[in-house]
Amino acid sequence: MRKLSVIIFCLLSLTASAVKKHVRTDGSNANNGLTNSSGGAFLTVAYGVTQCTSGDTLWVHAGTYLETTQIFLPVGVHLFGDGVTSVIQSTHPWSYQAALALESGTVGTNGNQSVSYLKFDGRSETTPRGIAVQGRSNVSIHHCTIVDFKEEGVVFNGEVSFTGFPPSVYATGNTFHDNIVTNCSEYAGFGTGCLGFGGQQDFLIYNNTISQPQRTAPKQIGWPIKYYNEGWSKGTKIYNNTIYKAPFNGEGWNFSMELFNNYEMEIYNNTIQGSLDFNYQDTIAGYNAYSVYIHNNTITYPSYNTFTESAVIIEYGFHSFWIEDN
């Protein structure tokens, strides 16, 4: 009985260490956690996350939060909201840096966290990037709305920076699902993605609506999904998504996805407007059934275009590439 009591005490202690803290528009960043523990809340997300420890959840209540500094989400801390009424905006101006950063200095860091039920608003394309997950595994972004970022919506990068080379350690256990991403990519000599990813192992992308409509001239649009850091991903599955790229207007390319350096990628049960473009797809040990398997998708355009549009574009450097039942 004594041993059982000790075990129960330890479990209760572990549970008690993980707490829920709050951010509200009537909150205060004064008094640190004292305000929060007495039923209060913090005023900003950027400050609130600094008062959390691994296992905590920071609840962003309904309201619009204009963050004037970059938000760095610590490992193990969950960020949660009330849905589209919990709006995070950012004045963070630096190109290709994110309003919300889940970034670690060591590749393969176990994030063990989620970002969910929030809206991220790029303020009419004035904020460069929405969310960046770099060097972390076991991160889930789900049930979020990400809109109107200038350069990129969300990036998952297995490395801790942009290298262009295969990762030394692949990120594992990351998922992106049940999100809405709209108008978050550009073409400025090269295209970016509303969702970009690279250096991932068994990455799951499902149940999302990802769309890139036309932007007001002279701005050119990017792609809904794009490789990041030259790709280098193994076992990615993209399924049950609605993916929309505005009809091609002769500027840039008509890609809904542009993907490099993938091993055993499966794309299925999606509804897609815009072409799927591939380069350097191959097989490696452990992921050698195929390089890419595309099946049971609907790839469509609303009408014939005066510009040439394609469904699937296979460029160069590929092996064991399967397409069937679309």
Side-chain angles (χ1 to χ4, degrees):
M1 180 63 72
R2 183 179 301 170
K3 290 182 178 179
L4 181 59
S5 299
V6 171
I7 292 170
I8 292 173
F9 175 77
C10 290
L11 290 173
L12 289 174
S13 298
L14 287 171
T15 302
S17 67
V19 299
K20 184 178 289 183
K21 299 181 179 179
H22 303 268
V23 176
R24 288 200 302 266
T25 54
D26 62 351
S28 171
N29 288 342
N31 301 320
N32 290 341
L34 295 177
T35 301
N36 213 278
S37 62
S38 62
F42 301 117
L43 179 61
T44 65
V45 181
Y47 181 76
V49 297
T50 68
Q51 305 306 302
C52 294
T53 58
S54 183
D56 290 351
T57 295
L58 186 63
W59 183 354
V60 182
H61 290 258
T64 297
Y65 302 86
L66 182 60
E67 302 288 326
T68 58
T69 60
Q70 196 173 18
I71 304 167
F72 291 96
L73 191 64
V75 165
V77 175
H78 303 275
L79 197 60
F80 172 85
D82 290 331
V84 293
T85 58
S86 296
V87 183
I88 297 176
Q89 299 178 332
S90 176
T91 61
H92 186 64
W94 302 111
S95 186
Y96 299 107
Q97 293 189 23
L100 173 64
L102 292 77
E103 299 176 346
S104 296
T106 304
V107 294
T109 296
N110 183 10
N112 193 28
Q113 61 196 141
S114 62
V115 176
S116 60
Y117 297 97
L118 290 159
K119 181 176 181 179
F120 295 86
D121 182 354
R123 301 187 309 126
S124 300
E125 304 165 24
T126 57
T127 304
R129 179 189 285 177
I131 306 172
V133 181
Q134 301 204 82
R136 288 191 192 177
S137 296
N138 298 312
V139 174
S140 178
I141 298 177
H142 64 89
H143 294 92
C144 288
T145 299
I146 301 110
V147 299
D148 297 333
F149 286 90
K150 178 179 181 291
E151 296 167 350
E152 291 166 311
V154 180
V155 166
F156 281 84
N157 182 21
E159 288 287 348
V160 299
S161 61
F162 191 97
T163 66
F165 296 102
S168 53
V169 176
Y170 283 83
T172 61
N174 290 334
T175 62
F176 186 79
H177 66 89
D178 293 281
N179 300 292
I180 298 172
V181 189
T182 305
N183 189 34
C184 292
S185 65
E186 68 172 358
Y187 183 84
F190 63 93
T192 63
C194 294
L195 170 65
F197 68 94
Q200 305 294 307
Q201 182 170 328
D202 302 332
F203 185 37
L204 301 181
I205 303 168
Y206 62 93
N207 293 352
N208 303 288
T209 298
I210 305 175
S211 60
Q212 183 55 60
Q214 290 290 356
R215 290 185 169 184
T216 304
K219 292 183 287 186
Q220 298 180 20
I221 61 176
W223 335 139
I225 296 179
K226 164 87 174 191
Y227 66 86
Y228 188 82
N229 209 359
E230 298 304 306
W232 305 113
S233 290
K234 304 187 293 188
T236 301
K237 293 187 185 300
I238 303 174
Y239 60 98
N240 296 350
N241 302 283
T242 298
I243 299 168
Y244 168 91
K245 166 74 181 290
F248 187 46
N249 66 355
E251 297 178 340
W253 305 91
N254 69 315
F255 304 153
S256 63
M257 300 185 201
E258 184 184 18
L259 300 168
F260 280 23
N261 295 308
N262 287 282
Y263 311 101
E264 216 165 284
M265 167 181 277
E266 190 174 6
I267 301 173
Y268 62 97
N269 291 348
N270 302 286
T271 299
I272 300 168
Q273 178 170 306
S275 65
L276 312 184
D277 181 78
F278 300 92
N279 292 282
Y280 305 120
Q281 314 300 321
D282 210 338
T283 59
I284 56 174
Y287 290 83
N288 55 6
Y290 48 82
S291 60
V292 179
Y293 181 23
I294 304 170
H295 64 96
N296 297 102
N297 302 283
T298 298
I299 306 174
T300 185
Y301 291 93
S303 61
Y304 287 117
N305 196 339
T306 55
F307 297 97
T308 298
E309 294 180 306
S310 304
V312 179
I313 302 172
I314 304 170
E315 294 199 51
Y316 43 83
F318 66 93
H319 301 273
S320 300
F321 198 103
W322 301 354
I323 306 173
E324 64 181 8
D325 295 325
N326 298 285

